Amino acid sequence: MSQLPPLRRPHRVSSTRSEVWVLARVVVVGAGYAGVVAANRLAAAGRPGVTVTVVNPRPEFVERVRLHEHAAGVSEAVRPLRDLLHREVRLRVATVETIAERSVRLDDGDRLDFDYLLYAVGSTAAQGSAGLEHAYGVADLDGAESLRTRLRSLSAGARVVVVGGGLTGIESAAEIAYAYPSLTVELVSPSVAAWLPASSRARIARRLVNTGVALRTGVRVTGIRPDGVQTEAGWVPSDCTVWAGSFAVPDLALRSGLPVTADGRLCTDDTLVCVGQERIVGVGDAVAPPDSVGSHLRMSCQAAMPMGAHGADTVLALIRGERPAPVSIGMVGQGISLGRRDGFIQATHRDDTPRGLAFSGRAAAVLKERVCRFTVSSMRHARTYRWLPGPTPTTTTPVPAPAAATSRTPPQW
């Protein structure tokens, strides 16, 4: 992709009451947590001449933090996007095939021009063990819907095997065991909640067992078949296998010739501007800012929403012809739902490392649910959305070259 032309500075009038901005067409690619917050914050700024268009493959918003609940049939994870988007935001239901210099090509053959683009395509399930086509997933709505249908068809005593000991696997296993007590639910993984302190891991394991989940830890799955999974320690029969492994990002940036990391995330500077492409700003799971501001940011709506808000502020600064501020985001905790009546909360420092405070039980389940509801409410009121600053003071750093991928923990709130 060729270098984009220099930024135009806005024309201003000598008035203490008003300011005239250049016309600016902003296209937001993706309507997940980061994309919706970014679009709403841009529209709510009320800048004359600035139009915001969201491009998303479906007209609904998917609450990814509720997909395990959706799969188990205890709640719905879908709501109309128009109910969440600012009234001035335009919605285009389509898939972006490629990003060109000043336009995007859509899967219906149309082209949409932009002056600035917000890249917010999110993440999806990564390919894992051989035979993954025989497993169900909860990384996206289609997978959760398929799993929901399969679970409803199982007879009492059927075996459900959940592969993966991260947050997705823990929450999925617990939710299925809660919703279907007649099924045998087993979680298979080398470990459970490996990123947490030993005391927290032990508490989560005990509560999983109390929920009705059998744990088979210390083993790795090497293959999946329609009737079970193969592990390094032997065969585990299964009537329904749920894949809850790691996450990956769409290859849109790679296909479009934009700078990406080894795992396909868009490379940005510390203000979230794409390296070498000053009209493109990246937010959310599919973005890799420099380690100085982003090494602690895991794939989660807890990171995606402030990234979306900061990305919107960056675009507004670029339209004004100003230097955007470096991003600074602090994390607050990790919450795990363990069915509808139990949960686990781990407080963290702003760099996402665990603190000494952790609690579980009904209070943790209530707090997790309130966080999920507050998340949606915050998206609607993006103009006033605020977040904790990052763990260290931020200063402008040199623009990085595309770097190797860094590991991240599974998505969570």
Side-chain angles (χ1 to χ4, degrees), residues 167 195 247 298-300 334 352 407-412:
L167 290 180
W195 65 95
F247 286 78
R298 52 189 158 83
M299 291 182 176
S300 63
Q334 300 177 12
D352 207 35
S407 60
R408 294 194 176 196
T409 54
Q412 56 185 310

Side-chain angles (χ1 to χ4, degrees), residues 46-263:
R47 301 304 185 184
V50 177
T51 62
V52 183
T53 302
V54 170
V55 183
N56 196 60
R58 62 175 74 243
E60 301 91 9
F61 173 74
V62 178
E63 285 189 81
R64 289 190 65 182
V65 296
R66 293 193 186 276
L67 282 177
H68 63 287
E69 301 173 17
H70 188 94
V74 299
S75 71
E76 300 296 326
V78 182
R79 61 181 69 215
L81 263 173
R82 281 269 46 119
D83 291 351
L84 294 178
L85 291 174
H86 189 280
R87 63 183 180 277
E88 297 297 330
V89 174
R90 303 170 183 177
L91 174 61
R92 180 67 181 273
V93 180
T95 298
V96 174
E97 293 286 350
T98 55
I99 301 171
E101 187 171 292
R102 293 287 291 273
S103 66
V104 295
R105 182 169 61 84
L106 307 180
D107 59 347
D108 59 8
D110 202 358
R111 189 186 73 174
L112 194 60
D113 296 328
F114 66 83
D115 296 298
Y116 298 93
L117 181 139
L118 269 157
Y119 186 83
V121 298
S123 60
T124 186
Q127 295 299 309
S129 300
L132 195 58
E133 67 274 13
H134 301 304
Y136 299 85
V138 290
D140 53 44
L141 180 60
D142 292 339
E145 286 279 9
S146 296
L147 176 56
R148 187 174 188 165
T149 300
R150 177 57 178 162
L151 289 172
R152 288 174 173 173
S153 71
L154 295 176
S155 303
R159 298 176 63 92
V160 177
V161 173
V162 179
V163 180
L167 290 180
T168 304
I170 293 170
E171 292 191 323
S172 297
E175 206 69 61
I176 294 170
Y178 170 82
Y180 294 91
S182 65
L183 301 179
T184 299
V185 182
E186 186 170 2
L187 190 150
V188 180
S189 178
S191 59
V192 174
W195 65 95
L196 293 179
S199 58
S200 294
R201 297 198 303 269
R203 288 170 67 179
I204 292 171
R206 288 196 301 269
R207 304 195 87 84
L208 278 172
V209 172
N210 291 340
T211 304
V213 178
L215 300 180
R216 189 187 296 261
T217 57
V219 296
R220 188 178 304 276
V221 171
T222 58
I224 301 173
R225 294 198 331 218
D227 57 348
V229 299
Q230 183 66 46
T231 75
E232 296 170 333
W235 178 252
V236 180
S238 173
D239 299 296
C240 174
T241 301
V242 181
W243 176 258
S246 59
F247 286 78
V249 299
D251 64 351
L252 175 60
L254 178 64
R255 285 188 282 111
S256 301
L258 295 169
V260 298
T261 59
D263 62 355

Side-chain angles (χ1 to χ4, degrees), residues 304-327:
M305 290 176 62
M307 286 181 76
H310 185 89
D313 294 346
T314 291
V315 169
L316 291 171
L318 293 175
I319 294 173
R320 295 191 299 264
E322 299 172 356
R323 165 70 180 175
V327 67

